[in-house]
């Protein structure tokens, strides 16, 4: 919609090309992060995390705060005829301490992201990310909470990437607190409270043998995937452990890290859990 710079130091910008500003209002921002997994990654493509992107900038940057209003972020992956997508809309938030000032970086000042948005237009998601600008290996922490929502809302991503569909299920709340991440991996805990989760496995080819396989997979899913949490008074805490694919974006890293915690909560890939 619009970008409005407040308290821009015009003199420094005109003379030294330094970007020094108080607040920057960004209204109606739209970000689309798309990956066609049918096409091999370029071997030289390594998107940097935010700290390295700032430090690699040729010009001096010091912006006190970016204010985001009415934004939308879409993350998509494609393995078949159609991409699977997740989106976050009605985004409101701030990004503070955006700088590559050497003195501030040596003080390990933190660039902070605080935002609220709606996941798939349904659940209210509040997220906080702290990027210490002088941290080794681009270390950062992130936290998030998600309000109640219908789990069927994630089918636009799930059904395009996996032979599965959620036919019922609801989240009461989800909490991630101070997940530790860096250029290599993310480690943390995830608390997901949900009920009545039912997943249907599907076959891409409609014939008798594949129908039999689908029925077997549905039986296995019923046996191994927890339908609710807590279950019989026992709460299962999800374990977040994800090794970053350095060819992919920050959004991919955050989503796959969160997904690892969701899978371990529901009983999927138990063997891959890490403490």
């Amino acid at each position: 919609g619009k970008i409005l710079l407040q308290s821009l130091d015009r003199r420094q910008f005109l003379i030294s090309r330094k970007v020094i500003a108080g607040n920057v209002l960004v209204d109606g921002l739209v970000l689309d992060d798309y990956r066609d997994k049918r096409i091999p990654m370029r071997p030289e493509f390594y998107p940097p995390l935010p700290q390295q992107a700032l430090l690699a900038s040729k010009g001096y940057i010091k912006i006190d705060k970016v204010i985001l209003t009415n934004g939308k972020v879409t993350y998509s992956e494609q393995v078949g005829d159609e991409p699977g997508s997740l989106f976050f809309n009605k985004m409101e938030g701030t990004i503070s301490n955006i700088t590559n000032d050497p003195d501030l970086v040596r003080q390990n000042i933190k660039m902070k992201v605080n935002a609220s948005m709606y996941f798939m237009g349904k659940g209210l998601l509040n997220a906080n990310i702290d990027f210490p600008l002088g941290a080794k290996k681009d270390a950062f922490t992130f936290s998030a909470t998600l309000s109640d929502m219908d789990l069927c809302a994630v089918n636009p991503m799930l059904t395009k990437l996996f032979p599965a569909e959620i036919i019922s299920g609801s989240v009461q709340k989800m909490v991630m607190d101070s997940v530790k991440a860096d250029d290599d991996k993310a480690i943390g805990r995830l608390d997901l409270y949900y009920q009545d989760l039912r997943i249907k496995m599907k076959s891409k080819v409609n014939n008798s043998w594949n129908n039999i396989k689908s029925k077997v997979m549905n039986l296995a899913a019923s046996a191994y995937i927890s339908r609710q949490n807590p279950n019989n008074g026992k709460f299962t805490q999800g374990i977040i452990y994800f090794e970053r694919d350095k060819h992919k974006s920050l959004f991919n890293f955050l989503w796959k890290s969160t997904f690892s915690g969701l899978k371990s909560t529901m009983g999927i890939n138990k063997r891959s859990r890490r403490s």
Side-chain angles (χ1 to χ4, degrees):
K2 66 179 177 181
I3 298 177
L4 177 64
L5 276 73
Q6 299 174 334
S7 303
L8 174 68
D9 190 328
R10 296 177 179 83
R11 184 174 183 274
Q12 287 286 357
F13 180 73
L14 293 173
I15 295 175
S16 305
R17 289 292 185 257
K18 292 183 177 181
V19 179
I20 303 173
N23 293 338
V24 179
L25 173 66
V26 181
D27 177 66
L29 176 71
V30 176
L31 292 175
D32 286 316
D33 188 353
Y34 169 78
R35 163 80 173 114
D36 190 337
K37 300 183 77 170
R38 300 168 298 177
I39 300 173
M41 276 286 190
R42 302 198 312 272
E44 75 282 3
F45 182 67
Y46 291 95
L49 290 176
Q51 295 101 313
Q52 283 302 316
L54 268 174
L55 296 177
S57 176
K58 294 181 180 179
Y60 179 94
I61 300 172
K62 186 177 182 296
I63 300 172
D64 294 340
K65 185 181 294 184
V66 171
I67 302 169
L68 303 172
T69 60
N70 195 32
K72 182 177 181 180
V73 174
T74 302
Y75 174 75
S76 304
E77 291 184 1
Q78 186 163 354
V79 295
D81 295 333
E82 297 179 277
S85 298
L86 300 172
F87 71 85
F88 306 84
N89 67 341
K90 299 180 181 179
M91 181 186 294
E92 309 282 335
T94 60
I95 308 172
S96 57
N97 300 328
I98 304 172
T99 185
N100 56 8
D101 182 288
D103 292 332
L104 293 174
V105 171
R106 279 192 290 270
Q107 295 171 28
N108 209 23
I109 189 174
K110 291 181 180 179
M111 181 171 65
K112 292 178 173 286
V113 179
N114 299 289
S116 66
M117 65 207 80
Y118 283 86
F119 177 47
M120 305 301 285
K122 303 292 184 181
L124 177 61
L125 178 69
N126 292 299
N128 302 283
I129 313 177
D130 287 351
F131 296 99
L133 294 178
K136 295 180 179 179
K137 298 179 67 175
D138 291 344
F140 66 96
T141 60
F142 64 94
S143 303
T145 62
L146 177 67
S147 71
D148 59 302
M149 65 173 289
D150 188 340
L151 279 168
C152 294
V154 303
N155 279 328
M157 169 66 87
L158 182 69
T159 58
K160 300 299 189 298
L161 301 181
F162 305 100
E165 179 182 8
I166 296 175
I167 57 176
S168 72
S170 60
V171 170
Q172 282 75 59
K173 67 176 179 178
M174 183 198 76
V175 179
M176 293 188 296
D177 186 35
S178 298
V179 178
K180 296 180 179 179
D182 58 26
D183 194 46
D184 293 327
K185 60 183 179 294
I187 300 174
R189 305 281 176 169
L190 180 148
D191 293 337
L192 179 68
Y193 298 81
Y194 67 93
Q195 62 184 11
D196 193 31
L197 175 62
R198 297 174 186 272
I199 297 178
K200 180 181 179 181
M201 308 302 293
K202 300 188 298 182
S203 173
K204 295 183 179 180
V205 181
N206 188 18
N207 59 41
S208 298
W209 173 240
N210 282 290
N211 288 335
I212 292 172
K213 287 197 294 183
S214 292
K215 290 179 181 179
V216 172
M217 288 190 294
N218 282 323
L219 287 173
S222 298
Y224 290 105
I225 296 177
S226 300
R227 288 190 175 179
Q228 60 190 23
N229 193 33
N231 189 5
N232 295 323
K234 182 181 178 181
F235 181 78
T236 300
Q237 186 176 60
I239 296 172
I240 294 172
Y241 185 91
F242 182 73
E243 295 180 1
R244 181 182 176 228
D245 184 341
K246 298 180 183 181
H247 289 286
K248 298 182 181 179
S249 69
L250 174 65
F251 291 119
N252 176 276
F253 189 25
L254 294 174
W255 160 241
K256 293 296 178 65
S257 299
T258 302
F259 192 46
S260 71
L262 295 174
K263 290 192 294 183
S264 69
T265 300
M266 296 174 182
I268 304 171
N269 289 353
K270 288 183 179 180
R271 291 182 181 180
S272 66
R273 288 187 180 188
R274 304 288 185 97
S275 59

